[in-house]
Amino acid sequence: MSITIANLDFLFDWRPYQAKVLENFSIHINDNHFHIVAPPGSGKTILGIEIVKRIGKKTLVLAPTLTIRNQWEDRLQNFFTTDCNFTQISFDIKHPSDITFSTYQALHSFYKSFETKEAYYNFFKKHQIEVLLLDEAHHLKNAWWKCLFDLKEQHLQTVVALTATPPYDSENAEIQKYFKLCGEIDDEIVVPDLVKEHNLCPHQDVVFLSKPEDQEINFITHFRLKIAEFVADILNDTEFISFLKQHRFYAKTEENLEEIYKDTDFFSSLLIFLHEAKETIPFEKLEVLGFDTNETIEFPSITNEWIQILFQYLLVTDRNNLIEHEAYLDILEKRLRKLAVFSKNKVNLVGNDLLYKSLSNSPSKLKSITTIVQQEQHNLQDDLRCVILSDYIRKEYLNCSHSEIKEIKKLGVVPIFHHVRTALKNKNNVAVLTGSLVIIHSSTIAKLGLIDAIDNYNYTPLKSDTEFVILSNTNAAKRTIVETITQLFELGHIKVLVGTQSLLGEGWDAPSINSLILASVVGSFVTSNQMRGRAIRVDRKNPNKVGLIWHLACIDTSDESGGRDFEILARRFNAFLGISNDDEAIISNGIERLHLPSNFIDEDIQQQNNKTLELSKNRNLIAQRWKSAISNGKGIVKELTFYTKRNKQFPKQKRVYYQDIVKYTIGEIIIGLSFFIPEFIIRNLNILLHKGVVYFLFALLSTLGLTFGYKIYKSAQLYAYFGLIHKKIDKMATAVLKSLYTLNHVNTPLNEIKIETNLLAMGNVSCTIHGANRYESSLFIKALNELLQPIDNPKYLLIKSNWFRRKLKLHHFFPVPEIFGVRKKECQVFHSNWNKYLGSSKLVYTRTIEGRKLLLKARLFHIHNVNNKLTKKNIIWK
């Protein structure tokens, strides 16, 4: 006898973290969205089926592949029924049932089969399919997104989205589209929960650094010199300066205010460039932005980023409005193309893409890989199960001679294979597995016979090393070649496996992996996290498994921050939650937890690599640190870090961890006065005796003004900028929380919620919220983050200015967070709380002409203002 959706019943006990997600489900689904992030191994599919059951409506479940699609039906029958007797299912989208399992590609093909969109919508209405469940939602491509989003909007679908990794590093437009379809993240299952429940193994991310080779260093240096020469030339190019001054934004500013307010970045870059070129900016150009005659505008120095914005607008965005200058624009375009900084309608004077391509594919990484494999072979001996993932096969290097291997300048499966096999003393256990190339050692052939008949496979000796053979299977083979090689790897007959991330990065399952080297550079943030997931799964045959994930970065030694390759790696670490290298282990996201050098010089790179290799030797210590960190915390909290001066340390004090620039400056004045005043009295006692108290005080104040006046002025200015900055942020956080509570975005009683604000090293500030649920915490951190970000294009703006600030030429502009800016009523609630905790301010609606003027003024202040800071969202187990 079959059962209905409502009668599906989970046969086992929910894991604690799963139960917590389901506990909050009824609140999250109120907006017809349920968006959950959970790593591989957390039981996303099981949760998805339970959610479908609780919604109780006809559902279309979409997966990226047929394999994953089939897993849904398998989990439903085996975890929710006793006799696999749920029959209201379909795998054919054309003939749906209560639950229909399909793929994104199949839905898109189905969508295109309709003559009109209305017919497509009507199909779902006719069959009463009201729920869309999106599995591995990060796979959504643009075409797939369109047919899903239209359906959601027209048919008012409920959307349930499950993913291991939201596509945070996609283009901003793509990220917005993703969240527009899936909704904001409602809940998250995090790695510590899974390690605690022994569903994931203890692990550590390690970064191995390399230096560019001479050829790459020369390329980077030459590129930067070319750009520097171009910038110097263009700043002295009278024809270009004249051309800019003829632009309607500059020549007829007042007539084009509406357009200027829409393109503030370009107008800012125009003014900054002309100022750098020693042109006097007439005050009327600034007056329209709301500046007064007594205000001094401190223009920032020109940077490649500003010149990039300038040329992007002239050569692409605004080109249709500059037809009469087309001949001159064509000359400018050719100059940029000659510099290789203009391609596909994009100006890139920073050279990010060009330099990243050079560093990310650096052959220096080949040496890094061999060093890592040698170390891991020494560390783990017979237990080693190492996988190296790359993007390209590079078959052209298949038959390289030994001497030619050293000359390979490209990263890929075959170059890695050659470097590893020639570097290892025991190369018998090395193999290659890709979709079109499989290589094993000849000694492994006999082991293959234990899994499948040897006659089912063909062998061709590898010309460059006849000890290895290229393997292919015949039609008679019982298994796919991927299954066979995977089994050989699991059994330990292969210990080092080199493959492509496209084949082995997602969906491939080999629980024995204990060392993963990510040599993929094409893979996105999503792909990186999926690949990383291969190494952190538990191995039931090895309960003491500890996984290491090796990340490679080629450092631009001319850039103290490490360059673009390291920057992208650091950004991806924001999604990796793991153990820190602190004395007291904590679990958090971000690359900061590894304590890598803050400035990259040659000595740092080698020293850091030695530390990393040393750390890899003691996997037991990593497991102990996970156990200790988990026991010291209760759950995940969201934290926002506010950076005051990222690269400039404040003056050193005895307590370096509690540095405060304001306290330091005031303290310096007090100490100075304590020495100065007694000495002045002793030296000028005769003035007091002969000329009287009034004359003496006049002399004292005059000398004080000359000696300490500037310091007192700077101290007052710094205090107006910073105050006790962590205290200010604490008040901002309180205003945000109280507003969220008043507007019913937070339902947890306020007396159960605590805001913790701390002053960190280098003057940075952290703000953490305790006691709120994950959804409320996310709303709080998001709102506070928006409040502290540089001004972009908020609907409402807060302006904090008084007589004292005006005299010091200071203005504070703050964007009203989006959640409070939807309607004026909500905005006024936030404004009221702001005034209560931070003093009076003016609320400005920026969608009027006057509001746009103030918005642009605010943005100009934030260009050079000390308030132009960055924030970082952190996740910490506490």
Side-chain angles (χ1 to χ4, degrees):
M1 182 177 174
S2 65
I3 56 175
T4 62
I5 290 181
N7 290 325
L8 288 173
D9 191 25
F10 186 53
L11 303 177
F12 305 95
D13 293 326
W14 293 110
R15 298 167 186 168
Y17 56 84
Q18 292 172 327
K20 194 177 292 184
V21 168
L22 294 171
E23 183 182 318
N24 296 318
F25 168 71
S26 59
I27 298 171
H28 298 316
I29 203 63
N30 283 337
D31 63 352
N32 276 334
H33 293 85
F34 186 66
H35 187 183
I36 183 167
V37 177
S42 59
K44 286 198 302 292
T45 306
I46 302 295
L47 277 173
I49 296 167
E50 177 67 18
I51 288 164
V52 168
K53 173 212 165 175
R54 293 191 180 195
I55 295 174
K57 298 177 181 178
K58 284 191 174 182
T59 301
L60 173 62
V61 177
L62 294 168
T65 65
L66 290 172
T67 302
I68 296 175
R69 181 203 71 173
N70 295 338
Q71 285 176 1
W72 276 85
E73 195 264 346
D74 175 75
R75 299 293 191 277
L76 186 151
Q77 301 289 10
N78 288 295
F79 287 83
F80 287 83
T81 72
T82 51
D83 300 312
C84 298
N85 57 345
F86 185 77
T87 58
Q88 284 82 33
I89 61 170
S90 171
F91 290 104
D92 184 359
I93 198 169
K94 295 176 184 176
H95 301 94
S97 186
D98 286 358
I99 301 180
T100 304
F101 301 107
S102 190
T103 64
Y104 294 113
Q105 194 167 359
L107 176 67
H108 185 242
S109 298
F110 184 60
Y111 170 72
K112 291 194 296 182
S113 69
F114 289 91
E115 292 184 6
T116 65
K117 288 184 180 180
E118 286 69 25
Y120 169 68
Y121 304 142
N122 287 334
F123 175 87
F124 286 88
K125 290 178 183 176
K126 176 185 174 183
H127 291 279
Q128 298 180 320
I129 298 172
E130 298 181 55
V131 180
L132 297 173
L133 190 148
L134 313 178
D135 188 24
E136 305 293 357
H138 56 266
H139 279 281
L140 286 169
K141 296 179 181 176
N142 190 45
W144 297 351
W145 179 88
K146 176 70 176 166
C147 65
L148 280 165
F149 186 73
D150 286 352
L151 180 60
K152 168 194 163 182
E153 291 294 287
Q154 294 295 323
H155 193 32
L156 301 176
Q157 296 279 342
T158 297
V159 175
V160 177
L162 310 174
T163 183
T165 316
Y168 288 123
D169 69 341
S170 299
E171 292 291 327
N172 192 47
E174 292 297 314
I175 297 172
Q176 288 179 358
K177 284 165 66 175
Y178 172 85
F179 283 106
K180 205 171 179 183
L181 174 63
C182 300
E184 291 294 330
I185 294 170
D186 292 301
D187 217 333
E188 191 169 356
I189 294 173
V190 289
V191 167
D193 286 324
L194 299 169
V195 175
K196 184 179 181 180
E197 298 294 323
H198 304 291
N199 295 117
L200 290 180
C201 72
H203 54 276
Q204 179 61 300
D205 294 280
V206 285
V207 175
F208 202 85
L209 310 171
S210 62
K211 292 185 291 182
E213 297 190 342
D214 291 342
Q215 182 181 353
E216 295 167 294
I217 293 172
N218 292 337
F219 173 77
I220 293 169
T221 304
H222 181 61
F223 174 82
R224 289 200 168 128
L225 283 173
K226 284 194 307 180
I227 299 303
E229 287 172 7
F230 169 76
V231 170
D233 288 345
I234 205 74
L235 282 167
N236 292 293
D237 188 330
T238 54
E239 185 179 7
F240 183 67
I241 292 169
S242 176
F243 166 68
L244 287 182
K245 291 169 79 172
Q246 293 175 53
H247 193 280
R248 63 189 184 282
F249 281 15
Y250 191 82
K252 299 177 180 179
T253 305
E254 289 197 40
E255 296 174 24
N256 293 279
L257 286 179
E258 185 98 22
E259 203 176 352
I260 286 172
Y261 296 146
K262 290 178 182 176
D263 297 299
T264 54
D265 278 351
F266 168 68
F267 189 59
S268 300
S269 68
L270 176 65
L271 296 180
I272 292 165
F273 183 91
L274 290 174
H275 180 267
E276 189 79 17
K278 310 301 181 189
E279 293 290 317
T280 301
I281 310 294
F283 178 72
E284 57 264 24
K285 308 298 178 193
L286 302 171
E287 189 176 23
V288 299
L289 306 179
F291 289 103
D292 299 326
T293 51
N294 62 347
E295 289 183 272
T296 302
I297 310 303
E298 298 177 9
F299 283 94
S301 299
I302 198 72
T303 62
N304 289 354
E305 286 85 354
W306 282 117
I307 295 179
Q308 181 174 295
I309 290 169
L310 184 70
F311 277 96
Q312 180 70 31
Y313 194 82
L314 295 172
L315 296 179
V316 181
T317 311
D318 197 39
R319 196 153 183 168
N320 289 337
N321 295 315
L322 302 170
I323 299 297
E324 67 273 21
H325 300 288
E326 182 57 37
Y328 182 61
L329 290 173
D330 193 51
I331 292 170
L332 291 175
E333 180 181 327
K334 286 177 181 176
R335 285 183 70 179
L336 293 182
R337 287 191 184 278
K338 193 173 180 181
L339 290 168
V341 295
F342 186 70
S343 176
K344 298 178 181 178
N345 275 340
K346 280 194 175 181
V347 178
N348 191 342
L349 283 173
V350 182
N352 284 348
D353 296 337
L354 201 63
L355 300 185
Y356 173 58
K357 189 175 180 181
S358 168
L359 293 173
S360 63
N361 286 288
S362 173
S364 66
K365 291 184 178 181
L366 292 168
K367 297 174 185 175
S368 296
I369 292 167
T370 56
T371 302
I372 293 167
V373 174
Q374 287 173 325
Q375 181 66 53
E376 288 288 66
Q377 193 176 54
H378 173 77
N379 292 342
L380 297 170
Q381 304 291 326
D382 196 51
D383 291 332
L384 176 65
R385 300 291 186 276
C386 177
V387 171
I388 309 167
L389 295 179
S390 190
D391 297 304
Y392 305 108
I393 299 175
R394 309 283 190 199
K395 286 185 181 179
E396 64 270 26
Y397 297 111
L398 197 56
N399 296 309
C400 282
S401 65
H402 188 76
S403 59
E404 290 172 332
I405 291 172
K406 296 179 180 178
E407 302 303 315
I408 296 176
K409 298 298 181 185
K410 291 184 178 179
L411 208 57
V413 170
V414 172
I416 292 169
F417 166 69
H418 284 319
H419 274 261
V420 170
R421 72 172 175 82
T422 54
L424 294 182
K425 293 179 181 178
N426 180 6
K427 61 183 180 180
N428 297 9
N429 301 320
V430 180
V432 166
L433 177 58
T434 73
S436 61
L437 177 68
V438 179
I439 302 173
I440 61 173
H441 194 269
S442 55
S443 64
T444 311
I445 296 173
K447 311 293 184 185
L448 191 153
L450 301 173
I451 300 169
D452 201 358
I454 294 178
D455 294 342
N456 291 336
Y457 297 86
N458 298 319
Y459 317 95
T460 306
L462 187 66
K463 292 179 183 178
S464 54
D465 189 338
T466 54
E467 288 187 45
F468 286 88
V469 296
I470 298 173
L471 186 70
S472 60
N473 58 348
T474 65
N475 292 332
K478 296 178 182 178
R479 297 165 172 263
T480 66
I481 202 162
V482 173
E483 289 176 322
T484 301
I485 298 301
T486 302
Q487 190 65 21
L488 288 170
F489 179 79
E490 287 291 289
L491 292 170
H493 304 311
I494 294 171
K495 299 189 188 304
V496 180
L497 186 61
V498 188
T500 50
Q501 62 90 3
S502 59
L503 181 66
L504 307 181
E506 184 174 5
W508 181 64
D509 195 18
S512 64
I513 301 172
N514 49 26
S515 183
L516 177 67
I517 303 173
L518 298 178
S520 168
V521 297
V522 172
S524 66
F525 170 91
V526 168
T527 310
S528 296
N529 210 22
Q530 290 292 331
M531 290 190 292
R532 183 176 174 271
R534 305 307 101 198
I536 65 179
R537 294 192 171 183
V538 292
D539 182 5
R540 302 303 174 193
K541 298 175 184 175
N542 179 14
N544 296 320
K545 170 187 165 181
V546 175
L548 282 191
I549 305 100
W550 296 83
H551 304 266
L552 308 178
C554 184
I555 299 301
D556 179 355
T557 49
S558 65
D559 185 339
E560 66 176 16
S561 64
R564 182 67 170 168
D565 193 32
F566 183 79
E567 177 192 328
I568 288 178
L569 177 63
R571 193 171 68 194
R572 290 178 179 173
F573 260 74
N574 289 332
F576 303 158
L577 200 62
I579 201 80
S580 73
N581 287 335
D582 296 282
D583 292 337
E584 182 182 350
I586 60 169
I587 300 167
S588 66
N589 67 331
I591 204 164
E592 294 84 358
R593 63 184 169 87
L594 300 185
H595 295 295
L596 298 175
S598 55
N599 288 310
F600 287 96
I601 55 175
D602 293 354
E603 291 75 16
D604 279 337
I605 291 174
Q606 189 54 53
Q607 183 181 354
Q608 181 59 41
N609 285 341
N610 290 340
K611 287 181 182 176
T612 301
L613 294 173
E614 194 63 32
L615 182 149
S616 73
K617 294 178 183 178
N618 196 343
R619 277 171 160 80
N620 288 335
L621 179 61
I622 293 171
Q624 290 168 16
R625 289 169 67 78
W626 267 100
K627 187 176 181 180
S628 171
I630 288 173
S631 64
N632 289 336
K634 296 179 180 178
I636 286 296
V637 297
K638 302 288 180 79
E639 178 183 272
L640 190 70
T641 300
F642 177 72
Y643 297 100
T644 51
K645 290 190 175 183
R646 292 179 63 83
N647 299 317
K648 295 180 182 179
Q649 291 195 19
F650 292 155
K652 291 183 179 179
Q653 300 178 50
K654 290 180 180 179
R655 293 179 67 194
V656 178
Y657 190 74
Y658 193 76
Q659 296 172 357
D660 187 300
I661 193 167
V662 178
K663 284 188 174 183
Y664 178 83
T665 309
I666 293 172
E668 186 181 37
I669 292 170
I670 292 170
I671 292 169
L673 288 172
S674 66
F675 284 100
F676 171 80
I677 291 175
E679 185 180 355
F680 182 87
I681 292 172
I682 292 168
R683 287 187 175 186
N684 297 279
L685 193 59
N686 62 321
I687 295 176
L688 177 64
L689 296 173
H690 293 93
K691 297 191 176 183
V693 175
V694 175
Y695 192 90
F696 174 81
L697 290 175
F698 176 78
L700 174 62
L701 293 173
S702 299
T703 311
L704 279 173
L706 291 171
T707 309
F708 292 97
Y710 181 73
K711 281 189 176 181
I712 292 170
Y713 171 79
K714 291 303 291 182
S715 176
Q717 192 176 45
L718 285 169
Y719 187 81
Y721 269 131
F722 289 102
L724 299 178
I725 197 162
H726 59 296
K727 298 294 185 185
K728 282 191 175 181
I729 290 178
D730 189 69
K731 291 176 182 178
M732 291 180 193
T734 303
V736 167
L737 178 60
K738 290 288 180 72
S739 302
L740 288 171
Y741 185 79
T742 302
L743 296 169
N744 296 318
H745 295 300
V746 169
N747 295 310
T748 303
L750 282 180
N751 60 1
E752 295 179 14
I753 299 176
K754 179 187 175 186
I755 294 172
E756 180 185 350
T757 309
N758 293 307
L759 187 63
L760 308 177
M762 296 176 65
N764 300 329
V765 180
S766 71
C767 183
T768 312
I769 182 169
H770 301 274
N773 63 43
R774 290 181 186 176
Y775 175 69
E776 294 167 344
S777 298
S778 296
L779 288 181
F780 170 81
I781 292 295
K782 183 174 184 290
L784 183 61
N785 182 55
E786 290 175 16
L787 183 60
L788 295 171
Q789 285 288 346
I791 303 293
D792 185 21
N793 189 26
K795 197 172 178 181
Y796 289 92
L797 195 65
L798 286 176
I799 303 177
K800 191 173 176 64
S801 182
N802 52 35
W803 179 88
F804 180 63
R805 293 177 187 279
R806 285 194 297 273
K807 288 299 178 184
L808 291 173
K809 299 171 186 175
L810 300 175
H811 293 272
H812 276 185
F813 300 93
F814 296 92
V816 172
E818 185 181 7
I819 196 168
F820 305 128
V822 179
R823 287 177 293 273
K824 189 173 183 179
K825 186 178 178 181
E826 281 89 342
C827 194
Q828 287 172 334
V829 169
F830 176 67
H831 186 215
S832 173
N833 279 310
W834 175 278
N835 289 345
K836 180 180 178 181
Y837 293 101
L838 290 118
S840 63
S841 63
K842 182 181 178 182
L843 182 66
V844 176
Y845 180 61
T846 64
R847 298 306 186 251
T848 63
I849 292 293
E850 189 61 31
R852 285 283 179 189
K853 183 188 293 187
L854 287 168
L855 177 61
L856 183 50
K857 180 180 178 180
R859 295 192 70 184
L860 280 172
F861 263 101
H862 272 245
I863 289 167
H864 62 274
N865 194 316
V866 73
N867 283 319
N868 188 5
K869 305 174 181 72
L870 298 175
T871 57
K872 179 177 176 292
K873 297 176 185 177
N874 301 310
I875 302 172
I876 301 175
W877 179 271
K878 283 189 176 180

